[in-house]
Amino acid sequence: MPAETRARALADLVPRLLELEDGAVHHLVGTELVRRPYPELYADVRRIQERLKDAGVAAGTRVGLWGGNSYAWVAHELALLDLGCVTVTLPSAEFAGVPADELAERYGLELLLADEDRCAGAGDAVAPLTTGPPDGRKIRLRPSPEPLGPDVFSVVFSSGTTGAVKAIQISRAATEDCLAEFARHHAFRSDDRILVGLPLATFQQRIMLYCALWYGFDAVIVDPSPLMLMVLKRARPTIMGGPPAFYELLENRFGSRPAYLRTPLRALSRVIRCTLPAGARRRALALVFRQAHAAYGGRMRLMLSGSAPLRASTAEVFAMAGLPLFQLYGLTESGFIAWNSPAANRVGSVGRPVFPGSVRIAPDGEILVRWPRPQSPGYLGEPPEVEAATYRPDGWIATGDLGRFDGDGYLYVIGRKKDVIITRAGYKIAPSPIEQRILADPAAAQAVLLGGGDLGYVGVVVALRAHAPDEAADRIGRRVAGINADLPAASEIHRVLFTRDEFTRENGLMTSTLKIDRGAVARRYAGSLDRGERWSR
């Protein structure tokens, strides 16, 4: 599978499957990791297409996909892409409990393909996601909606730059630009294997899948779950991308070791990194930190972190172990904005812009981005004034993030505009820089600054790591006092609440893409903060 035989366009992906005789998609069936060769995937895609064409599906048909990560999802998405349909990829968590027929009506779907449990009681325009034989169910397409632009091949969903779930149109040409740039900054090899570990409904995860087919290497598909560690060890990927939560596991494990082990390991790593040439350095670190490398499969050469700030302590642990972790930054509305790479990496930054001159900082500190060809021409179904707030008339996209450049052109994301806390005295506080200072203590797993609105003070909820002793709360309390010394009196943190709760998707404190849900944290802990409690047990 030589890299130079890469696809030329998204339309080439399905025919290319036949060329990739040694490649495969790996996926879970129960707890078993199954390998499906790409030519077998090609055959399943063609069978699905025949079934869809019999139902009247053709180029331009708007088809929804609603389900968890699975082989069937991948096969159907490729079948629709190859037919020239417009796919609408519905995130499972955000639309949980919404009837299938209602979603089809809301987004003008002519057909909705969904997991079997979502099809119960639905009409003829809803069919199950399956690669098995036809079940005899008759499919009748709904009336065609108003067509989208000729370059729009998909509609995806994001919390957007304002926090509300929005439907976003995606450009075919800009997606192809992105795939080309990915290889220029992160050189791929034919023996690579990429892990797709967040919902495929998230467009960035589909980009990772497309990269595997475009450049000719394996893909591993898994939902974020406790099975992730098993998949990493069995599939042994070389590339993965995801939120900081994917990587904090290693930091947590290292931090749980006694100090008499951590200290000499840090010292040994410094000696290796300062004295050995690159090749010998990689081998030595992989040997000394073999358990850390084994936890991620033992073959990692490119690990990408995005969607939320990567804490400095996490980056330091990965550098210590010789694991290649790089932070990047992007939004669904704009595509990838900036990224670090092995050739240009600055810890703490999100890297340099993907396209030179494509990023600038507005007078109020907001990051604005403009691609040569925008990834998205706009939202679907939003009022003009909402769309214009993000897709500005001058062609720039307002990200909703605050940022700055350093003197070498590396971009730093300071926080979200919508998360800025405005105190009753009118002071504005960006939570992220303060939270990152608290998270510099290895005992702190999460820190969420709260204030404004009904709260007459600024407070912070700190979730301690499982291995951290209760005494760590005193140390973090002193750290907060030190932070207060640098803040105006009206912006000081007056209340600190500690918890042993783990922030997860399952308990509602994280989103489906493993970001902290600040609103959920506020709802759960504001009462304890109001009462002046120190611990929430």
Side-chain angles (χ1 to χ4, degrees):
M1 295 184 295
E4 60 268 23
T5 62
R6 69 177 177 87
R8 295 182 301 275
L10 290 178
D12 298 331
L13 290 187
V14 168
R16 181 155 163 71
L17 293 172
L18 281 180
E19 303 172 14
L20 306 176
E21 296 179 357
D22 299 327
V25 59
H26 306 252
H27 64 101
L28 284 173
V29 177
T31 59
E32 181 183 359
L33 188 65
V34 175
R35 180 183 185 275
R36 299 283 189 101
Y38 283 142
E40 185 176 323
L41 173 59
Y42 174 88
D44 284 333
V45 166
R46 292 304 188 211
R47 278 193 292 270
I48 290 168
Q49 287 179 329
E50 290 305 313
R51 187 184 312 165
L52 294 174
K53 287 190 288 189
D54 287 345
V57 174
T61 304
R62 194 182 300 182
V63 182
L65 287 171
W66 191 24
N69 286 8
S70 67
Y71 177 77
W73 199 104
V74 171
H76 281 79
E77 200 276 332
L78 291 174
L80 295 165
L81 176 67
D82 189 65
L83 285 173
C85 299
V86 176
T87 58
V88 180
T89 56
L90 299 152
S92 297
E94 284 77 353
F95 294 119
V98 181
D101 288 331
E102 180 180 326
L103 282 177
E105 175 71 26
R106 185 185 304 177
Y107 296 108
L109 306 180
E110 295 166 75
L111 173 65
L112 174 56
L113 301 168
D115 286 342
E116 184 70 48
D117 59 346
R118 294 185 169 99
C119 295
D124 292 341
V126 179
L129 278 165
T130 177
T131 56
D135 60 4
R137 188 179 317 196
K138 181 66 175 176
I139 298 176
R140 291 187 177 87
L141 301 185
R142 291 165 45 87
S144 300
E146 188 74 22
L148 303 177
D151 188 45
V152 173
F153 80 102
S154 191
V155 175
V156 301
F157 293 82
S158 169
S159 58
T161 60
T162 61
V165 175
K166 293 182 176 64
I168 303 169
Q169 302 177 61
I170 300 294
S171 157
R172 179 183 295 268
T175 299
E176 293 167 354
D177 289 348
C178 177
L179 290 167
E181 286 299 307
F182 236 115
R184 194 167 70 85
H185 289 266
H186 305 287
F188 296 124
R189 306 190 313 224
S190 60
D191 63 344
D192 274 327
R193 183 173 294 172
I194 195 166
L195 178 80
V196 180
L198 287 176
L200 279 161
T202 304
F203 189 63
Q204 290 83 353
Q205 301 299 298
R206 279 165 65 194
I207 288 284
M208 295 170 69
L209 172 64
Y210 293 163
C211 274
L213 305 183
W214 187 281
Y215 293 103
F217 53 86
D218 286 12
V220 183
I221 309 298
V222 63
D223 266 322
S225 73
L227 294 175
M228 177 78 79
L229 292 176
M230 178 273 286
V231 170
L232 283 167
K233 291 180 179 179
R234 292 186 186 176
R236 304 189 69 215
T238 60
I239 304 169
M240 68 180 290
F246 276 12
Y247 306 109
E248 290 171 1
L249 170 67
L250 176 61
E251 182 185 8
N252 195 19
R253 286 184 173 181
F254 182 74
S256 67
R257 292 189 168 193
Y260 69 81
L261 290 178
R262 296 198 308 271
T263 301
L265 282 172
R266 289 186 186 276
L268 179 57
S269 174
R270 281 195 295 271
V271 171
I272 291 171
R273 286 183 286 160
C274 292
T275 61
L276 296 182
R281 180 169 64 242
R282 286 193 297 269
R283 291 190 294 272
L285 291 174
L287 178 62
V288 172
F289 296 95
R290 55 188 175 276
Q291 290 182 334
H293 285 253
Y296 289 95
R299 296 203 310 143
M300 281 293 175
R301 69 176 195 87
L302 182 61
M303 309 172 84
L304 303 173
S305 177
S307 83
L310 178 70
R311 55 197 289 175
S313 56
T314 304
E316 289 166 2
V317 168
F318 275 74
M320 175 193 69
L323 283 164
L325 180 59
F326 304 96
Q327 191 167 190
L328 51 67
Y329 167 56
L331 293 176
T332 309
E333 288 89 341
S334 61
F336 288 102
I337 297 170
W339 48 32
N340 287 288
S341 70
N345 182 42
R346 181 155 296 176
V347 173
S349 81
V350 294
R352 288 174 170 151
V354 175
F355 296 104
S358 63
V359 180
R360 66 181 178 90
I361 308 299
D364 65 353
E366 184 173 12
I367 299 171
L368 305 178
V369 60
R370 182 167 62 185
W371 267 33
R373 292 193 285 191
Q375 177 169 290
S376 169
Y379 294 125
L380 178 65
E382 294 292 335
E385 64 273 15
V386 171
E387 182 158 289
T390 297
Y391 299 90
R392 296 176 15 154
D394 59 5
W396 289 85
I397 292 175
T399 65
D401 290 318
L402 302 171
R404 65 176 178 84
F405 281 107
D406 67 14
D408 295 320
Y410 286 89
L411 178 64
Y412 294 77
V413 178
I414 298 170
R416 297 285 287 165
K417 283 181 67 173
K418 70 182 180 64
D419 293 336
V420 168
I421 294 170
I422 303 176
T423 69
R424 289 184 176 176
Y427 283 95
K428 295 182 179 180
I429 308 169
S432 184
I434 296 174
E435 291 164 352
Q436 291 301 310
R437 290 180 65 178
I438 295 171
L439 291 172
D441 191 300
Q446 301 292 349
V448 180
L449 207 69
L450 301 176
D454 295 334
L455 292 180
Y457 55 87
V458 177
V460 64
V461 178
V462 180
L464 294 181
R465 296 192 184 278
H467 61 77
D470 284 359
E471 291 75 18
D474 295 328
R475 184 177 68 241
I476 293 173
R478 292 192 294 273
R479 179 179 290 271
V480 172
I483 293 170
N484 279 338
D486 298 332
L487 298 175
S491 303
E492 290 181 358
I493 302 169
H494 288 282
R495 300 182 187 182
V496 183
L497 178 71
F498 294 95
T499 179
R500 291 288 184 179
D501 293 341
E502 184 179 0
F503 292 6
T504 66
R505 291 194 313 166
E506 289 70 26
N507 64 17
L509 298 179
M510 277 189 164
T511 67
S512 61
T513 53
L514 302 183
K515 299 179 186 178
I516 297 294
D517 187 329
R518 291 180 177 273
V521 172
R523 289 189 293 274
R524 179 166 299 191
Y525 299 106
S528 296
L529 278 170
D530 282 341
R531 292 189 292 272
E533 297 175 11
R534 178 176 169 83
W535 284 92
S536 173
R537 300 288 186 178

